[in-house]
Amino acid sequence: MSRKFDEHICGCFTEMCSCLIAFCIPFGTCGLQAYAINKSIGEGYVIPFVIPIFGWCIGSAINREQIRKKYHIESDFCKDCLFHTFLNPCAAAQEYREAVKVEERRV
């Protein structure tokens, strides 16, 4: 069973810290995404941090796909590439908020 992200792509006002990191810190989006992947599937931080740097939107979409699989979220690789091309900080902040929210519910 698939679902959609609970967190909206432009839901910055629900958790301002992640948005400030994504927009104001160099490679902040990579850090947020790496944290989200580590939080959701426990893969560590290095690979998820480096993949978007070299693969830009495709690498970020691959990371996003891992989060989607873990939380059974509807998948659309083309849409993920577009989000990370035009709304990269927003997409990374959304992934971070989603992973934190889902993992907090499990505790």
Side-chain angles (χ1 to χ4, degrees), residues 7 10-22 32 92-94 96-98 100-101 104:
E7 295 294 320
C10 295
C12 292
F13 295 110
T14 61
E15 205 277 320
M16 288 296 295
C17 184
S18 62
C19 293
L20 290 173
I21 290 170
L32 285 175
Q94 177 193 33
Y96 168 83
R97 291 189 315 269
E98 187 77 21
V100 168
K101 185 177 189 177
E104 284 177 352

Side-chain angles (χ1 to χ4, degrees), residues 2-62:
S2 292
R3 65 179 185 85
K4 295 188 183 289
F5 275 96
D6 290 337
E7 295 294 320
H8 190 269
I9 189 75
C10 295
C12 292
F13 295 110
T14 61
E15 205 277 320
M16 288 296 295
C17 184
S18 62
C19 293
L20 290 173
I21 290 170
F23 280 99
C24 299
I25 297 175
F27 300 110
T29 56
C30 297
L32 285 175
Q33 200 177 53
Y35 181 84
I37 289 173
N38 185 56
K39 186 112 175 130
S40 61
I41 63 175
E43 193 171 282
Y45 295 99
V46 177
I47 303 276
F49 184 86
V50 173
I51 287 175
I53 293 171
F54 293 107
W56 190 41
C57 68
I58 294 171
S60 294
I62 290 168

Side-chain angles (χ1 to χ4, degrees), residues 37-38 40-41 43 47-48 51 59-72 80:
I37 289 173
N38 185 56
S40 61
I41 63 175
E43 193 171 282
I47 303 276
I51 287 175
S60 294
I62 290 168
N63 281 342
R64 188 174 176 92
E65 183 68 23
Q66 291 182 24
I67 293 168
R68 286 182 180 278
K69 284 180 185 176
K70 171 67 178 180
Y71 300 131
H72 309 287
D80 291 343

Side-chain angles (χ1 to χ4, degrees), residues 56-57 80-90:
W56 190 41
C57 68
D80 291 343
C81 285
L82 288 172
F83 277 144
H84 277 287
T85 299
F86 299 107
L87 298 169
N88 190 11
C90 298

